[in-house]
Amino acid sequence: MKVKSENKSKQKSKIKKAQDENVLRPEKFAGEKKSRKDIRKQKKHNAIATFILVAILIGICGYISVKVFFIVQSVDVEGSEKYSRREIANFCAIPFGENIFNVDTEYYQNALPESFTYIESATVQRKLPNKIKITVVDSVPTYYEETSVDGGTAYTVYSQSLKPLTGTAQKPDNLIGIWVNQEDENSLGVFNSVVELISDGGYDKVTQINTVQTDNISIEYDGRITVKLGTMLDMEYKLEMAYYVLHQKIPEGERGVMDATDGGNVIYRMTA
């Protein structure tokens, strides 16, 4: 019995010793905590160093792209029959050797129509790696407006988008006479809508358009038939009915006035 007691005592002593060795004493892990703090600090330093290195590399790439790549080597001009490629290119004066991303394309797109009477619009594009492309749309004389000047009559010629092109004392041939208040957004909007509808409706012989009074719109067809259209209400239908009467009911060369303000009841009367 004495032997067993001694053995138990020894076992308890060993267990207690092992427990004491496994106790999480602060002084035992101080070195480990310090080591973890150093690791976090080193990671932070590494991240900063990496960021700086990447920024330097980006700067170097940017410098190379500006000074070496994407340099303007050609300027192509197309689309105009009024002006030569040389005239347009010389006006823009885009320097060879300039980085294409430094070329202010929007500036040239606005400057070309403002500086050239017969340029309606321009598109300036960057074509990688080294080309600038300028595409021009010429202004086409389309409308004329009659005005009184010093007791006489003068005419202003406009493009397809109502850009003023020139003035003349003679009534222009083969253009559409217009009466529209260009300072009034409503009148101008109605005018543009009517132009679109008569174009879509196959009206190829319109000689006058009047939208000064938006509740009393009218057009002249072939210089001989005045078509009263009233307001924009049901305008597409009115134009369809008027077109039918113009081409099916009225003899070629006859002059007259058509009232299509009520699209469902077109009234026509011949005039001398």
Side-chain angles (χ1 to χ4, degrees):
M1 294 296 292
K2 185 176 180 180
V3 174
K4 288 182 179 181
S5 178
E6 290 179 354
N7 289 338
K8 286 183 179 180
S9 178
K10 289 179 179 180
Q11 288 176 356
K12 287 181 180 180
S13 177
K14 289 181 180 180
I15 292 172
K16 188 176 184 305
K17 183 178 180 181
Q19 288 176 342
D20 290 342
E21 290 178 350
N22 290 328
V23 171
L24 299 180
R25 297 173 181 171
E27 60 271 15
K28 180 179 178 180
F29 295 96
E32 184 178 349
K33 288 183 178 180
K34 185 176 180 181
S35 177
R36 289 178 180 177
K37 184 177 180 181
D38 290 341
I39 291 172
R40 287 196 297 269
K41 187 176 181 180
Q42 184 63 44
K43 286 182 177 179
K44 184 178 180 180
H45 288 166
N46 291 343
I48 293 173
T50 301
F51 175 80
I52 293 172
L53 179 61
V54 170
I56 292 172
L57 290 174
I58 291 174
I60 293 172
C61 292
Y63 177 82
I64 292 174
S65 68
V66 169
K67 297 297 182 180
V68 180
F69 301 114
F70 309 124
I71 300 301
V72 176
Q73 294 183 7
S74 66
V75 177
D76 291 351
V77 180
E78 63 180 33
S80 180
E81 296 182 359
K82 295 284 187 180
Y83 305 100
S84 69
R85 296 178 180 179
R86 183 182 296 276
E87 284 180 283
I88 295 172
N90 286 345
F91 170 81
C92 294
I94 299 172
F96 287 177
E98 179 75 21
N99 185 274
I100 64 172
F101 294 106
N102 291 336
V103 176
D104 190 345
T105 57
E106 185 175 354
Y107 166 78
Y108 293 111
Q109 289 177 167
N110 294 328
L112 283 166
E114 291 174 358
S115 303
F116 290 83
T117 301
Y118 284 91
I119 290 182
E120 194 73 8
S121 64
T123 302
V124 182
Q125 299 172 299
R126 302 179 184 93
K127 294 292 184 180
L128 299 179
N130 53 24
K131 182 188 295 184
I132 297 295
K133 182 179 180 181
I134 303 173
T135 305
V136 169
V137 176
D138 283 340
S139 297
V140 178
T142 306
Y143 307 107
Y144 72 88
E145 186 176 40
E146 180 180 318
T147 55
S148 297
V149 179
D150 297 329
T153 302
Y155 301 90
T156 302
V157 176
Y158 293 94
S159 72
Q160 61 270 39
S161 66
L162 294 182
K163 178 184 179 180
L165 300 179
T166 187
T168 177
Q170 300 296 322
K171 183 177 180 179
D173 294 328
N174 303 317
L175 301 183
I176 300 173
I178 59 171
W179 282 261
V180 54
N181 183 357
Q182 297 189 47
E183 303 299 323
D184 181 359
E185 292 185 3
N186 187 35
S187 177
L188 190 59
V190 168
F191 173 83
N192 290 328
S193 297
V194 171
V195 168
E196 183 177 354
L197 288 171
I198 62 178
S199 176
D200 293 343
Y203 282 79
D204 57 349
K205 295 182 180 180
V206 172
T207 47
Q208 290 185 12
I209 302 173
N210 188 335
T211 64
V212 171
Q213 296 179 335
T214 57
D215 60 349
N216 191 25
I217 303 164
S218 66
I219 64 173
E220 182 184 78
Y221 188 78
D222 199 22
R224 58 190 178 87
I225 305 293
T226 298
V227 182
K228 297 180 179 181
L229 297 165
T231 68
M232 281 298 295
L233 183 64
D234 297 327
M235 181 59 72
E236 185 175 3
Y237 177 63
K238 295 173 187 177
L239 288 169
E240 288 177 358
M241 296 303 297
Y243 186 88
Y244 172 78
V245 175
L246 285 168
H247 290 82
Q248 300 297 326
K249 301 296 183 180
I250 301 176
E252 186 71 26
E254 185 173 290
R255 294 179 175 275
V257 176
M258 182 188 305
D259 186 347
T261 53
D262 180 0
N265 183 29
V266 178
I267 301 173
Y268 170 76
R269 62 180 177 84
M270 183 179 64
T271 58

